[in-house]
Amino acid sequence: MKIYPALDIKNGKCVRLIKGNYNDEIVFNKNPLDVVKEFEDAGSKYLHVIDLDGAKEGDTKIITIVEQIVQQTSLKIQIGGGIRIYEQAKLYLDIGVDRIIFGTSAIYNQKEIIKTINEFNSNKIVVSIDALKGKIKTSGWLKNTKKSIKNLISELEMIGVQSFIYTDIEKDGTLSAPNFEYIKKFRELSKKELLIAGGISSIEDIFKLKKINIDGAIIGMALYTNQINLKNALKNLE
């Protein structure tokens, strides 16, 4: 099982939002690169980066920061937030990012995902499905959509998507444990790679996810508040 430490960047700083609320943030470190190096020193091979300003505005805001991370670490980086067209995806992939996360485009602009898959291969693409009480939200979790998770997964698998992230917005940043009921339902809908984010607060949570055949866990708040020791978690999963 893969562990992805989460790095959310807003105004150039490392932050965490509570339930995706842009007005309810905690700044953990002003220098994202310092945080990333701590993750790498703890033994992490992967990194999950979200550009919160990009997610809100539909633009790419942190290319310079990401380029520094690529150049100064050996981490495999997946990045999302504001990546809605092929050209934005290409910008990150060309500087050495391992995978691109599409979110809003999965609802409104699937042709951009198809183009990126055709140019870079499906192993470079992840689609994030973010939901609140089972309802999909887009544009940095600020907009609602009526499309069902089941139908969306079916559409995306048909165009070649091989990897998904499922985020339970109600749990994100709360340290209240994942919603295993929703996660099991998602797992039943797709056999593709599935990463989970939102509410993971203990090593026990990680093992529960592993038991229901989840491929990876994205962990944020629990790492920043020391409820999960990254080095110990990685050793326990070996």
Side-chain angles (χ1 to χ4, degrees):
M1 186 180 191
K2 297 175 182 176
I3 299 293
Y4 283 83
L7 179 73
D8 290 0
I9 300 175
K10 184 171 181 281
N11 296 322
K13 300 173 184 177
C14 172
V15 308
R16 297 301 297 170
L17 303 184
I18 308 300
K19 299 184 181 182
N21 186 343
Y22 278 74
N23 297 316
D24 193 359
E25 70 174 51
I26 303 171
V27 178
F28 281 101
N29 193 306
K30 293 183 179 180
N31 188 343
L33 189 59
D34 290 343
V35 177
V36 172
K37 288 183 175 179
E38 288 179 9
F39 292 152
E40 186 174 41
D41 289 344
S44 183
K45 297 178 182 177
Y46 304 98
L47 180 68
H48 174 84
V49 180
I50 295 296
D51 177 357
L52 291 172
D53 296 309
K56 189 176 182 180
E57 299 172 27
D59 199 2
T60 305
K61 300 289 186 179
I62 58 171
I63 187 73
T64 302
I65 294 172
V66 174
E67 195 164 20
Q68 288 176 338
I69 295 171
V70 170
Q71 292 172 352
Q72 297 185 41
T73 76
S74 60
L75 297 171
K76 290 186 177 181
I77 303 165
Q78 62 181 28
I79 182 167
I83 303 171
R84 298 177 189 171
I85 59 174
Y86 163 79
E87 287 76 14
Q88 291 169 323
K90 184 177 188 300
L91 190 66
Y92 279 120
L93 290 168
D94 283 348
I95 65 168
V97 166
D98 187 55
R99 304 202 298 185
I100 292 301
I101 303 167
F102 282 107
T104 299
S105 292
I107 302 291
Y108 303 114
N109 212 0
Q110 291 182 9
K111 67 179 176 29
E112 297 296 328
I113 298 177
I114 294 170
K115 185 175 181 180
T116 308
I117 288 174
N118 290 340
E119 292 292 328
F120 287 99
N121 204 311
S122 60
N123 64 1
K124 293 294 182 183
I125 307 302
V126 189
V127 168
S128 183
I129 298 179
D130 308 327
L132 181 64
K133 300 185 186 299
K135 304 294 184 181
I136 300 172
K137 295 180 79 72
T138 64
S139 304
W141 302 350
L142 299 174
K143 294 182 180 179
N144 296 313
T145 173
K146 294 181 180 179
K147 189 179 290 288
S148 75
I149 292 175
K150 182 179 180 179
N151 288 344
L152 180 59
I153 291 171
S154 179
E155 289 177 9
L156 293 170
E157 288 187 351
M158 286 182 66
I159 66 173
V161 173
Q162 300 291 318
S163 299
F164 293 98
I165 297 169
Y166 176 62
T167 303
D168 189 333
I169 297 170
E170 191 173 22
K171 295 288 185 176
D172 195 64
T174 66
L175 297 173
S176 58
N179 190 320
F180 291 101
E181 182 182 348
Y182 279 135
I183 292 167
K184 286 177 183 177
K185 289 178 181 177
F186 198 117
R187 178 75 286 177
E188 290 170 0
L189 293 173
S190 176
K191 302 303 180 186
K192 305 298 184 183
E193 183 187 52
L194 178 57
L195 312 182
I196 297 299
I200 298 170
S201 58
S202 68
I203 291 178
E204 288 73 23
D205 288 340
I206 299 171
F207 278 113
K208 284 182 183 178
L209 292 171
K210 186 177 181 181
K211 192 173 181 180
I212 57 175
N213 298 317
I214 300 304
D215 301 288
I218 297 167
I219 309 173
M221 188 71 85
L223 296 180
Y224 293 101
T225 58
N226 297 313
Q227 287 197 219
I228 293 179
N229 180 286
L230 181 58
K231 183 179 286 187
N232 290 341
L234 292 169
K235 283 183 178 179
N236 283 324
L237 288 167
E238 287 178 353

